[in-house]
Amino acid sequence: MKIAVLGTGEVGRTLGRKLVSLGHEVTLGSRTADNPAATGWAAETGGACGTFADAAAAGEVIVNATGGLVSVAALTAAGAANLAGKVLIDVSNPLDFSGGFPPKLVVPPAGSCAEEIQQAFPEARVVKALQSMNNAVMVDPARVPGHHNVFICGDDPSAREVTADLLRTFGWRDDQILDLGPLSAARGTEPLVLLWISVSNTVGTADFNFAIAH
Ligand SMILES: NC(=O)c1ccc[n+]([C@@H]2O[C@H](COP(=O)([O-])OP(=O)(O)OC[C@H]3O[C@@H](n4cnc5c(N)ncnc54)[C@H](OP(=O)(O)O)[C@@H]3O)[C@@H](O)[C@H]2O)c1
């Protein structure tokens, strides 16, 4: 599949590397075509890179791995026409680091980053996924032993299914993929990032995840 990964940070590069290893044609998107993190990633992985618009135009599926507070700006640069009708998997978190660490959570007016994106790009098929864990665990769930979950939500059931299929190829089992239904569920999953930070500081590792017992 042709996949655009928008974001040249650790998350975008990790997801992009995994997707290339699975045989996808990945284009990593950035504000600039010559971003060194992106060109280095392309040389290392055999993937392509370009601007946000180049990547989004090339992708059949879009992954948003930009900062949650700049995601609408990044996606605007990607171009609404390049997002229309496509599954847009949003892994962002709305964190404000301006006051230092730990960051504060910003609740966007729409209720969550994912809903903010959906509102700005109504023709995109937004699915929130993966943002409640570290990027290494996103693409290799076996790093965490035992039962643990990945949450997905979105208003388009077929887009959630496309996302779940991709997650299965990452190694997520069906019993780990918790489909929470509508995109408004992101109002609950995005704030988990603050708990994640506290737990990480306490247990001293990023190789952990949330598990739902019921
Ligand atoms: N770190 C993790 O393991 C983890 C886990 C779960 C969720 N997340 C979330 O995943 C997302 C990506 O995290 P990250 O640490 O990999 O990267 P990041 O530093 O949060 O974001 C990097 C990307 O944001 C773009 N960007 C920065 N300012 C921008 C602006 N004003 N307008 C448009 N684009 C802008 C950058 O563009 P350029 O390429 O041009 O520099 C870059 O591509 C974040 O939302 C984060 O909260 C992270």
Side-chain angles (χ1 to χ4, degrees), residues 106-198:
V106 174
V107 179
S112 62
C113 272
E115 291 168 284
E116 203 74 6
I117 291 168
Q118 185 68 81
Q119 206 170 78
F121 305 97
E123 293 183 68
R125 299 153 67 202
V126 179
V127 177
K128 192 87 203 182
L130 288 169
Q131 92 299 333
S132 53
M133 67 196 74
N134 177 258
N135 61 85
V137 177
M138 293 179 189
V139 298
D140 185 9
R143 289 175 75 96
V144 178
H147 177 68
H148 58 99
N149 291 103
V150 58
F151 306 110
I152 64 174
C153 61
D155 291 335
D156 181 330
S158 64
R160 300 206 301 272
E161 201 39 57
V162 170
T163 305
D165 283 344
L166 264 182
L167 294 181
R168 290 183 189 102
T169 67
F170 288 2
W172 291 96
R173 299 186 313 267
D174 283 351
D175 66 306
Q176 292 181 293
I177 301 172
L178 200 44
D179 184 337
L180 299 175
L183 196 59
S184 57
R187 297 174 196 180
T189 60
E190 289 179 6
L192 284 176
V193 64
L194 294 186
L195 179 59
W196 188 96
I197 290 169
S198 298

Side-chain angles (χ1 to χ4, degrees), residues 6-13 29-32 35 37-38 52 64-75 77 90-95 97 113 128-136 138 193 196 206:
L6 307 183
T8 58
E10 202 181 337
V11 180
R13 287 182 280 115
S30 175
R31 282 171 290 187
T32 51
N35 180 312
F52 286 135
N64 174 44
T66 63
L69 302 185
V70 295
S71 289
V72 169
L75 291 163
D90 173 36
V91 305
S92 72
N93 278 315
L95 293 177
F97 288 92
C113 272
K128 192 87 203 182
L130 288 169
Q131 92 299 333
S132 53
M133 67 196 74
N134 177 258
N135 61 85
M138 293 179 189
V193 64
W196 188 96

Side-chain angles (χ1 to χ4, degrees), residues 3-7 11-13 15-16 19 26-29 55 61-63 65:
I3 302 182
V5 177
L6 307 183
V11 180
R13 287 182 280 115
L15 287 168
L19 291 164
V26 179
T27 308
L28 199 66
V61 166
I62 315 285
V63 177

